Amino acid sequence: MSVELLETVRRIALEAGALAADLRSEGVSVAASKSSDVDVVTAADRETEALIRALIAAERPHDGFYGEESDAAAGSSGLVWVVDPIDGTVNYLYGTPAWAVSIAVGELDPDAAPDAEPTASWRALAGAVYAPSVRELYTASAGGGAWLERLDRESGAPERLRVNPNPTLAHALVGTGFSYIAERRAAQGAVLGAVLPRVRDIRRGGSAALDLCAVASGRLDAYYERHINPWDHAAGALIAREAGARVAGLHGAPATSQLVIAAEPGLFAELHAALVDAGIGA
């Protein structure tokens, strides 16, 4: 099933990415704001999600859907699609290339609470993160590894992804991100101030999905972020895991909106300890 789902995820991500890129070339209009007046939704977010939802419904009418821009829907198949039509919307708004379509599908835990985040206890089966501006497509399936297709190369075969081997915290390049709510940003800045002296350097790309793929591809050694949504990390977390990363929250908890940490397992332990020391769970 994972192989079949992966092909569907891949095809839909490419089609949605093409639409989002076309809409970007026509100009961006802000349709609304979300958590604050600087956390925006564009008309392209909504149009791209509508396309993704329609394509999924046409092929998988009995699956559930959980997206950023439209109401969730329960399905009858036990599978759910978790979708961010444009992850990195502010980058998209400003014309910065680091934005992506993120699509994942997984098997729901039948014992999960009805209001639980779908990715907190699901079994991810397939995922794709497509960055149209640089024509890079990341994909993974459960047990099938993580892969990068560079679509700007005529004959380039997919590349198997592996996390950087045996990095230490002191030599780690670490990605993170920040909320658009001022109070949360202040707390995140305080944690960052404590972590920064203990690592090689910090990067803030603006797309959680792409940051997780960067861990998978070795462009980052690790990534952590608080207050992100399931659609931000669903596909990227699977891709990072299949590339050899450990992806989890604090003290063995699953990766949720409370916290996502992704790194090679040994580095994960070091970064986890540094984040606890910095008071991230306080």
Side-chain angles (χ1 to χ4, degrees), residues 167-194:
T168 63
L169 186 64
H171 293 89
L173 186 63
V174 179
T176 192
F178 305 101
S179 171
Y180 286 102
I181 297 174
E183 294 80 5
R184 287 180 175 177
R185 290 171 71 85
Q188 289 167 328
V191 169
L192 179 61

Side-chain angles (χ1 to χ4, degrees), residues 4 30 37 39 44 139 169 250 254:
E4 175 187 341
V30 175
D37 61 357
D39 184 14
T139 59
L169 186 64
L250 279 181

Side-chain angles (χ1 to χ4, degrees), residues 45 49 52 68 82-88 100-103 231-232:
D45 285 277
E49 181 160 310
I52 295 168
E68 182 172 17
V82 181
V83 170
D84 193 339
I86 300 175
D87 186 53
V101 174
S102 175
I103 305 174
W231 47 76
D232 296 318

Side-chain angles (χ1 to χ4, degrees), residues 3 22 30 37 61 66 96 130 132 141 146 154 156 170 193 202 253 258:
V3 174
D22 285 346
V30 175
D37 61 357
Y66 190 84
T96 301
Y130 178 42
S141 60
E154 291 184 5
I202 293 288
Q258 292 304 304

Side-chain angles (χ1 to χ4, degrees), residues 49 53 65-74:
E49 181 160 310
R53 191 163 192 163
F65 185 89
Y66 190 84
E68 182 172 17
E69 308 301 343
S70 56
D71 292 338

